[in-house]
Amino acid sequence: MTRLLIASLIAALAVQLWLGEAIRGIPDPWDIVPAPPTDRSVAMASFGDEQFLHRAYALQVQNFGDTGGRTTRMADYDMSQVVPWLELLDRLDSRAQFQLALAMGYFASTPNASGREDLVQFVSRAVTLNPVNRAQWLREAIVIADRRIKNPVLAIKLADQLANTKWSEMNILAYQLAPLLRAKYGDYAGAAAGMKRALEKATPDTPPQELIFMAQFIAESEQKAGLQHSLESAPHK
């Protein structure tokens, strides 16, 4: 009896090892990011309840790459495939913050610069759908564009978008971002003009030190712009 039991266990172990080796070469049928559903499929799946479908798809997007106990490196995600899913979530609920939080707080950790730019561009478009409740995400996008993507044109574009957004919680610091970035990248004339517009947004609650800083910034930027113009206009020998 004991010998039979031992033989059975050995046979079971052998079968298990054989199966493990056999399935190793079977292609993985799961994609990291599957293709998003068609508009018709979405309409049929929602049954008139787009909020429910938004939550269901949001959970699915959050769990991309973690199917069947696997984990996937963020470097392996194709953000050009992720963004259509985020845009789908936006069509289902343009007031929700979750898809922007996923874009900036999760997927933006990708080491791929073009992928980060796709996400930043998505946020820029998403904010236009509901600027009052979403403008704060532009600050995250500006930091990523400036420091991680190192794209000054994109960073300044986002900063200008933030400055032109009507947002109840907008403070003077948000208006300063665009001129500060222009000065950082050598556009001193644009920096001075932008800070003058920011100074016009000052209210009685604006701290005095901010008013002093902006006035000094304008003066210094105009001085640098004048020197820059002189150097550019000087005849070359």
Side-chain angles (χ1 to χ4, degrees), residues 8-215:
S8 299
L9 291 174
I10 292 174
L13 178 60
V15 171
Q16 186 175 9
L17 291 174
W18 176 81
L19 284 174
E21 188 66 26
I23 66 175
R24 182 179 298 178
I26 296 177
D28 192 343
W30 291 323
D31 293 325
I32 296 174
V33 182
T38 63
D39 290 342
R40 182 178 181 181
S41 298
V42 170
M44 294 176 63
S46 68
F47 292 103
D49 190 349
E50 292 187 342
Q51 283 293 320
F52 172 79
L53 194 60
H54 176 273
R55 291 191 291 271
Y57 281 151
L59 183 62
Q60 182 176 343
V61 173
Q62 184 179 1
N63 291 329
F64 280 160
D66 296 326
T67 309
R70 303 173 309 163
T71 57
T72 304
R73 300 179 310 155
M74 193 59 69
D76 294 333
Y77 286 78
D78 182 353
M79 293 305 154
S80 67
Q81 298 298 319
V82 171
V83 168
W85 277 97
L86 299 176
E87 291 174 334
L88 170 59
L89 293 177
D90 238 20
R91 291 197 297 273
L92 291 171
D93 187 352
S94 62
R95 296 173 299 175
Q97 308 284 358
F98 188 73
Q99 50 265 29
L100 284 86
L102 279 178
M104 295 289 91
Y106 180 55
F107 290 118
S109 61
T110 176
N112 187 293
S114 63
R116 287 195 293 262
E117 185 165 341
D118 288 341
L119 294 166
V120 165
Q121 295 284 12
F122 159 72
V123 169
S124 177
R125 295 190 298 270
V127 168
T128 63
L129 299 177
N130 193 353
V132 174
N133 296 323
R134 290 178 162 184
Q136 71 272 17
W137 293 106
L138 285 173
R139 295 182 296 191
E140 305 286 339
I142 291 167
V143 172
I144 292 173
D146 177 42
R147 299 181 183 177
R148 300 187 62 192
I149 304 176
K150 300 187 185 303
N151 185 331
V153 174
L154 180 58
I156 291 172
K157 173 190 171 184
L158 294 167
D160 285 338
Q161 182 181 354
L162 177 60
N164 292 320
T165 299
K166 293 182 179 180
W167 179 32
S168 59
E169 298 181 18
M170 195 83 153
N171 58 37
I172 201 68
L173 299 177
Y175 295 112
Q176 293 175 2
L177 284 174
L180 287 172
L181 285 171
R182 285 188 164 86
K184 175 181 178 179
Y185 292 110
D187 179 11
Y188 299 111
M195 193 61 80
K196 286 180 180 178
R197 290 192 293 271
L199 188 57
E200 292 173 356
K201 301 291 185 179
T203 66
D205 297 329
T206 302
Q209 60 269 28
E210 290 298 331
L211 300 176
I212 294 171
F213 163 74
M214 287 189 287

